[in-house]
Amino acid sequence: MQEKKKMSLAMQIFIALVLAIIVGLLMGKHADFANNYIKPFGTIFLNLIKFIVCPIVLFSIMCGIISMRDVKKVGSIGLKTVVYYLCTTAVAIVIGLVGGNLFKGLFPVVATTDLTYEAAESTSFMDTIVNIFPSNFISPLVNANMLQIIVMAILLGFAIILVGEKNTKVVSAFNDLNDVFMKCMEMILKLSPVGVFCLLCPVIASNGAAIIGSLAMVLLTAYICYIVHAAVVYSLTVKTMGGLSPVTFFKGMMPAIMFAFSSASSVGTLPINMECTEKLGASREVSSFVLPLGATINMDGTAIYQGVCAIFIAACYGIQLTLPQMMTIVLTATLASIGTAGVPGAGMVMLAMVLTSVGLPVDGIALVAGVDRIFDMGRTTVNITGDACCSIIVSNLERKREGRS
């Protein structure tokens, strides 16, 4: 009975997605109406999701760590997770660069004379490291700084384990709080179909013509690379290291994939992603640690977008990228995926860093900024699928390790 009910949510989101595209295309001439009167309801839904995400990340990671009862085990899971994320991000950027070069001849030549784009100040490497650690208990929760919340959760989780026998009341209280926030999240997720429709419809209404316009080929290239990365890299890794059929994996992930596509928010998709991965067999203690971390630092989709856009922007300026320059892009984008974690519009910040690293004009970002939301829908979908894939793999590797020990 439960399974049937779950299918209905996925189906509802799918129907909402299709309706949003149809209504959005029909409302092309009334995009203002869609933005003024439909989008606010989508924003309300996203606000509710954002409201619940911080406590869920804090308590689910803490409870995940407490349930492991072993600091070494947490370290083992953390190391596997970060290595997997860095490797897949490097592969993703290579796929983006290869795709960009294959389709380069079909890219439109866009005039670059009057372009201006103000790049956000890039943070130095040491500042990035300093910013991971909170200086205040409340501020990370207020500013939704995910990396700092994760550090808080890890510190508190370790402290509770190390207190030993006296921690039973605290453990029980945190588990109860975790259950309360999870229940609250379930209530909010029941509104998903309405939220999906109200978020996507105005985007389609505003960009309908733009998609068919001059950047259609660049968007198509990015989406082909997104699909290749998901179909090849995730299928292979989830099959070989996760012991799960790729078909089962993608079928089980459908609600999260559709939600991510319409909301373009990795952190917003976190609650649905947790639900999907646990149903696919990921252990709760692993998924509650791996997924929030992935929503913050794993940016495979964003890396593909960097590669395609770097090639497109270079082509518009008549610049031929050399192999060493492409290797620099791979390295910069991989490291920047962690460096720009949790920054709003992280894709744009990363793209500015990548362009600067190979001497391309940052003004070129203005070429793709207009349809960034369309790129973002695809890259968010790839990002969250990668997070889920990692939680399945790490769960499976941990099970095998426990079986051997």
Side-chain angles (χ1 to χ4, degrees), residues 35-52:
N35 280 310
N36 293 335
Y37 297 102
I38 296 176
K39 192 179 176 184
F41 292 102
T43 309
I44 290 170
F45 175 66
L46 263 192
N47 286 349
L48 286 172
I49 290 274
K50 286 173 183 168
F51 143 74
I52 202 69

Side-chain angles (χ1 to χ4, degrees), residues 151-227:
V151 170
M152 277 168 60
I154 292 170
L155 282 172
L156 289 166
F158 280 175
I160 291 167
I161 290 174
L162 296 170
V163 162
E165 293 299 308
K166 291 181 283 185
N167 68 18
T168 47
K169 283 182 184 168
V170 177
V171 171
S172 162
F174 281 138
N175 281 325
D176 290 347
L177 275 169
N178 193 29
D179 291 343
V180 168
F181 284 115
M182 285 290 184
K183 186 52 73 180
C184 188
M185 175 194 85
E186 275 175 38
M187 288 156 58
I188 294 167
L189 289 184
K190 288 205 166 67
L191 302 171
S192 299
V194 179
V196 161
F197 177 83
C198 297
L199 285 166
L200 193 58
C201 179
V203 173
I204 302 290
S206 304
N207 293 290
I211 302 169
I212 304 157
S214 60
L215 292 176
M217 202 58 223
V218 186
L219 281 161
L220 184 63
T221 304
Y223 272 84
I224 288 170
C225 294
Y226 291 153
I227 291 164

Side-chain angles (χ1 to χ4, degrees), residues 9-25 192-198 200-201 204 254-263 377 381:
L9 177 68
M11 205 61 213
Q12 283 170 23
I13 295 177
F14 178 70
I15 292 165
L17 218 128
V18 173
L19 281 175
I21 293 169
I22 295 167
V23 175
L25 289 170
S192 299
V194 179
V196 161
F197 177 83
C198 297
L200 193 58
C201 179
I204 302 290
M254 263 309 140
I257 286 171
M258 290 187 287
F259 185 85
F261 183 76
S262 44
S263 71
M377 285 152 59
T381 307

Side-chain angles (χ1 to χ4, degrees), residues 290-307:
V290 169
L291 293 177
L293 192 62
T296 318
I297 67 168
N298 181 38
M299 298 192 184
D300 293 359
T302 312
I304 290 169
Y305 156 82
Q306 318 291 323

Side-chain angles (χ1 to χ4, degrees), residues 9-218:
L9 177 68
M11 205 61 213
Q12 283 170 23
I13 295 177
F14 178 70
I15 292 165
L17 218 128
V18 173
L19 281 175
I21 293 169
I22 295 167
V23 175
L25 289 170
L26 292 174
M27 290 185 73
K29 289 178 182 162
H30 308 284
D32 286 350
F33 179 86
N35 280 310
N36 293 335
Y37 297 102
I38 296 176
K39 192 179 176 184
F41 292 102
T43 309
I44 290 170
F45 175 66
L46 263 192
N47 286 349
L48 286 172
I49 290 274
K50 286 173 183 168
F51 143 74
I52 202 69
V53 153
C54 289
I56 277 190
V57 171
L58 181 66
F59 289 111
S60 67
I61 291 184
M62 274 170 63
C63 294
I65 288 172
I66 295 164
S67 67
M68 292 184 218
R69 297 193 178 89
D70 181 4
V71 175
K72 280 184 188 162
K73 188 175 177 186
V74 181
S76 152
I77 289 173
L79 185 66
K80 288 186 183 88
T81 303
V82 172
V83 168
Y84 178 83
Y85 285 156
L86 286 176
C87 291
T88 55
T89 301
V91 171
I93 181 81
V94 170
I95 289 174
L97 287 168
V98 169
N101 278 305
L102 284 176
F103 292 99
K104 189 165 63 175
L106 302 172
F107 286 169
V109 179
V110 183
T112 56
T113 41
D114 303 321
L115 289 184
T116 52
Y117 178 81
E118 281 299 313
E121 283 293 307
S122 63
T123 317
S124 75
F125 179 68
M126 288 314 292
D127 283 347
T128 301
I129 290 176
V130 170
N131 291 339
I132 292 173
F133 297 92
S135 61
N136 179 308
F137 188 82
I138 305 295
S139 122
L141 296 166
V142 171
N143 299 322
N145 187 322
M146 285 299 149
L147 270 184
Q148 292 190 358
I149 292 172
I150 290 167
V151 170
M152 277 168 60
I154 292 170
L155 282 172
L156 289 166
F158 280 175
I160 291 167
I161 290 174
L162 296 170
V163 162
E165 293 299 308
K166 291 181 283 185
N167 68 18
T168 47
K169 283 182 184 168
V170 177
V171 171
S172 162
F174 281 138
N175 281 325
D176 290 347
L177 275 169
N178 193 29
D179 291 343
V180 168
F181 284 115
M182 285 290 184
K183 186 52 73 180
C184 188
M185 175 194 85
E186 275 175 38
M187 288 156 58
I188 294 167
L189 289 184
K190 288 205 166 67
L191 302 171
S192 299
V194 179
V196 161
F197 177 83
C198 297
L199 285 166
L200 193 58
C201 179
V203 173
I204 302 290
S206 304
N207 293 290
I211 302 169
I212 304 157
S214 60
L215 292 176
M217 202 58 223
V218 186

Side-chain angles (χ1 to χ4, degrees), residues 111-120 317 348 355 361-370:
T112 56
T113 41
D114 303 321
L115 289 184
T116 52
Y117 178 81
E118 281 299 313
Y317 281 96
M348 289 292 204
L355 294 179
V362 176
D363 288 353
I365 294 179
L367 291 168
V368 289

